[in-house]
Amino acid sequence: MSLISIQNVSVEITGQNILHDVTLDLSAGEILTIVGPNGSGKSTLLRVIVGALAPTKGKITRQKDIRIGYVPQTLAIDATLPMNVDRFLSIPRWASKNEKLAALERVGATNMMHKQMTDLSGGQFQRVLLARALLCEPDVLLLDEPTQGLDQPGSARFYELIAEIRAELNCAVVMVSHELHVVMSASDRVVCLNGHVCCHGTPETVSNAPEYRALFGAQTGGALALYRHEHDHGHDHHHEH
Amino acid sequence: MLDNFLIRAALAGVGVAIAAAPLGCFVVWRRMAYFGDATAHAAILGVALSLAFSASTIVGVLVVCLGMAVIVSNLNERGMAVDTLLGVISHSALAFGLVAVSFLTGVRVDLMAYLFGDILAIGISDLIFIWVGAVIVCGIIAWRWSALLTATLNADLASSHHINPKREQLILTVALAITVAVAIKVVGALLIASLLIIPAAAARGFSKTPEMMAGLAMLIGSISVVSGIQASLIWDTPTGPTIVCCAAILFGVLNTLSRGMRG
């Protein structure tokens, strides 16, 4: 049974058609990645899934009492709002000291309990956001461009962590990303979005689809090469992309 | 004990300070300071209308403040810039209020009392009203605390936990309108926003969590009220503005201290 089912969803914002006739199913335990160029409606689709935005047409059904662990793209904490990591992890529901320590350890952000959120580095901040989402005991982890601002090794480590967490909690994961090659390799299923669903399937299927190549143009070769390079051959040699 | 006008004044002021402090924290965190101002200014229009229809001042103030909040949030959704919008509505509500009061013949209105407050003239019934209002406001904020805080951090994050950010905004607006209605007699329409914002801002430097900031703001607000009343007696100054001056001095001192401690 699917956790979240999106049927023929269209979204119009101030008369502009952002999403058109999107149909999508999310099954328990799968990692689904949404890729697409800027302005393709990725974030809008995520907001529909989160429940922040009602579709103009179509319908979204969520499993009853579904728990969503949402990791937003940015969380601008106002300088006037004092918020240490300890307190942040109890948002919105109170969590015990031990639960919080365990969550921080799981994401590799120990010894941060008493730091102010605004004092964390980009990578630490992302990990604390993830730890908070884990404390919700999510059925679905929702990540919006989770590795923005991280360098390439940093984001590779982050996606490894996501894969590990999925294996442990058996939660579904939905990610939005523009880092095609890294993300695609970590996904079970990829949806390529450009206002509508251009193509979807396994990472292999999508990266071979003509619609995908048309959208990403010159980038495709490199991303695909790297993808194959890392996962089909597993050896290392220099090539241009 | 309540026969003494000074004790009544202090109790009234502390009641308002306690209600205003946690609400003021949200006003500061959500950058709604101007919204607080606009709500308070609109209260003068509420006073004028309630006198014209010989209704209770409280009802008039509540109705106008809530009406203003609804108009602002509707226009805002249609894409008008909030600060411009509030600038227009805040000052026109004040101006229309002042003009409307001048039309009221046969009623002698002590306008100064509404603009700057008249805390020393507070009677037992005012005192009861203030404390009932304060308890309601604190109750609302305590009940919605976690949801309000989540919605303040990030609207989408709130949605993911089935918290409706628009509903939380509305709840804050209602709490704000009640606070204005309650505080108008204490510091007056022109200075209410200062009682919301200054104690919260003064508490920021020494707070590690939102709860700590709200608690400290209550303490700072209460100290400002009591010392302001004392100072106004000693130097024979208007009480409402003197309370605000005390809060401002506390803000200055605490801000300097917290910066000094951080090195």
Side-chain angles (χ1 to χ4, degrees):
Chain A
M1 201 198 107
S2 55
L3 283 174
I4 297 175
S5 157
I6 297 171
Q7 283 157 354
N8 309 100
V9 160
S10 298
V11 175
E12 270 181 30
I13 298 173
T14 57
Q16 258 197 309
N17 199 306
I18 311 282
L19 286 179
H20 178 68
D21 202 19
V22 173
T23 297
L24 198 63
D25 261 341
L26 183 71
S27 316
E30 73 168 333
I31 299 188
L32 173 73
T33 301
I34 303 166
V35 295
N38 283 337
S40 59
K42 300 187 298 272
S43 294
T44 306
L45 181 56
L46 214 55
R47 295 194 69 214
V48 169
I49 298 175
V50 163
L53 201 62
T56 322
K57 263 188 255 161
K59 147 176 143 178
I60 170 162
T61 26
R62 300 179 189 80
Q63 196 189 67
K64 203 170 169 288
D65 300 324
I66 194 171
R67 281 187 306 265
I68 295 177
Y70 177 50
V71 180
Q73 184 176 2
T74 49
L75 191 72
I77 297 182
D78 198 280
T80 58
L81 175 57
M83 181 69 76
N84 58 19
V85 173
D86 188 15
R87 180 63 186 86
F88 180 74
L89 293 176
S90 279
I91 284 187
R93 257 168 230 96
W94 187 84
S96 75
K97 201 104 203 162
N98 285 338
E99 287 172 310
K100 290 188 239 189
L101 282 171
L104 283 180
E105 195 175 325
R106 185 65 204 86
V107 301
T110 40
N111 297 327
M112 297 210 172
M113 211 55 146
H114 299 292
K115 282 197 177 176
Q116 284 290 311
M117 292 293 288
T118 40
D119 292 340
L120 300 179
S121 72
Q124 291 169 337
F125 197 91
Q126 280 301 331
R127 279 162 197 270
V128 172
L129 285 184
L130 181 60
R132 191 211 67 85
L134 293 181
L135 284 167
C136 312
E137 298 175 346
D139 303 307
V140 187
L141 258 185
L142 224 54
L143 304 114
D144 191 358
E145 301 271 8
T147 57
Q148 237 189 13
L150 299 188
D151 57 15
Q152 210 162 352
S155 50
R157 273 200 302 277
F158 194 85
Y159 288 121
E160 267 169 42
L161 180 62
I162 297 293
E164 285 168 29
I165 285 169
R166 187 269 302 257
E168 278 165 39
L169 303 182
N170 197 31
C171 59
V173 179
V174 179
M175 289 190 278
V176 159
S177 187
H178 64 274
E179 288 168 301
L180 301 172
H181 52 282
V182 189
V183 162
M184 302 241 300
S185 63
S187 314
D188 300 322
R189 209 147 60 88
V190 176
V191 168
C192 177
L193 200 68
N194 190 25
H196 61 285
V197 176
C198 297
C199 51
H200 62 99
T202 63
E204 269 289 286
T205 321
V206 169
S207 53
N208 285 323
E211 295 92 341
Y212 175 82
R213 291 176 171 228
L215 260 185
F216 288 99
Q219 238 185 330
T220 320
L224 190 57
L226 185 57
Y227 174 75
R228 287 207 166 127
H229 172 73
E230 282 178 347
H231 299 274
D232 294 351
H233 305 296
H235 57 86
D236 205 9
H237 61 87
H238 180 79
H239 67 124
E240 295 293 327
H241 50 124
Chain B
M1 183 183 91
L2 294 178
D3 291 344
N4 186 322
F5 74 99
L6 278 180
I7 289 179
R8 284 199 304 269
L11 285 176
V14 168
V16 170
I18 286 175
L23 183 61
C25 287
F26 281 106
V27 169
V28 167
W29 297 332
R30 300 169 75 106
R31 310 210 157 201
M32 289 167 64
Y34 215 14
F35 190 81
D37 248 349
T39 311
H41 289 174
I44 291 296
L45 185 59
V47 169
L49 290 178
S50 54
L51 289 173
F53 294 103
S54 10
S56 137
T57 324
I58 308 312
V59 176
V61 169
L62 272 179
V63 167
V64 172
C65 290
L66 287 175
M68 195 219 61
V70 170
I71 290 171
V72 169
S73 59
N74 277 339
L75 288 177
N76 182 28
E77 270 172 35
R78 289 187 207 166
M80 232 189 263
V82 187
D83 58 342
T84 311
L85 200 59
L86 287 175
V88 171
I89 290 184
S90 160
H91 298 106
S92 23
L94 183 59
F96 275 110
L98 294 172
V99 169
V101 170
S102 77
F103 276 119
L104 297 170
T105 47
V107 197
R108 282 198 51 182
V109 189
D110 183 8
L111 201 54
M112 291 302 273
Y114 289 109
L115 287 174
F116 295 107
D118 196 3
I119 191 174
L120 298 183
I122 275 172
I124 297 275
S125 60
D126 295 323
L127 193 56
I128 292 170
F129 171 73
I130 286 172
W131 273 92
V132 169
V135 167
I136 291 174
V137 169
C138 287
I140 292 174
I141 300 286
W143 168 52
R144 300 307 303 169
W145 183 264
S146 184
L148 280 169
L149 201 56
T150 310
T152 299
L153 271 172
N154 185 291
D156 291 350
L157 190 70
S159 297
S160 78
H161 291 286
H162 312 286
I163 297 165
N164 181 347
K166 279 190 188 154
R167 188 186 57 201
E168 302 309 320
Q169 170 78 36
L170 182 68
I171 288 171
L172 267 188
T173 308
V174 172
L176 199 57
I178 299 174
T179 307
V180 167
V182 158
I184 197 163
K185 211 146 191 194
V186 174
V187 282
L190 292 184
L191 294 175
I192 287 171
S194 60
L195 220 50
L196 286 167
I197 292 156
I198 300 178
R204 170 63 184 96
F206 289 94
S207 311
K208 292 188 165 62
T209 62
E211 289 76 16
M212 204 171 156
M213 182 157 151
L216 274 177
M218 282 187 187
L219 189 66
I220 293 167
S222 304
I223 293 172
S224 309
V225 165
V226 174
S227 53
I229 292 173
Q230 294 281 347
S232 79
L233 282 183
I234 296 171
W235 289 296
D236 193 22
T237 51
T239 313
T242 311
I243 290 173
V244 177
C245 290
C246 287
I249 291 167
L250 274 177
F251 167 79
V253 171
L254 291 174
N255 210 15
T256 315
L257 280 179
S258 75
R259 274 167 200 275
M261 276 165 58
R262 281 181 198 174

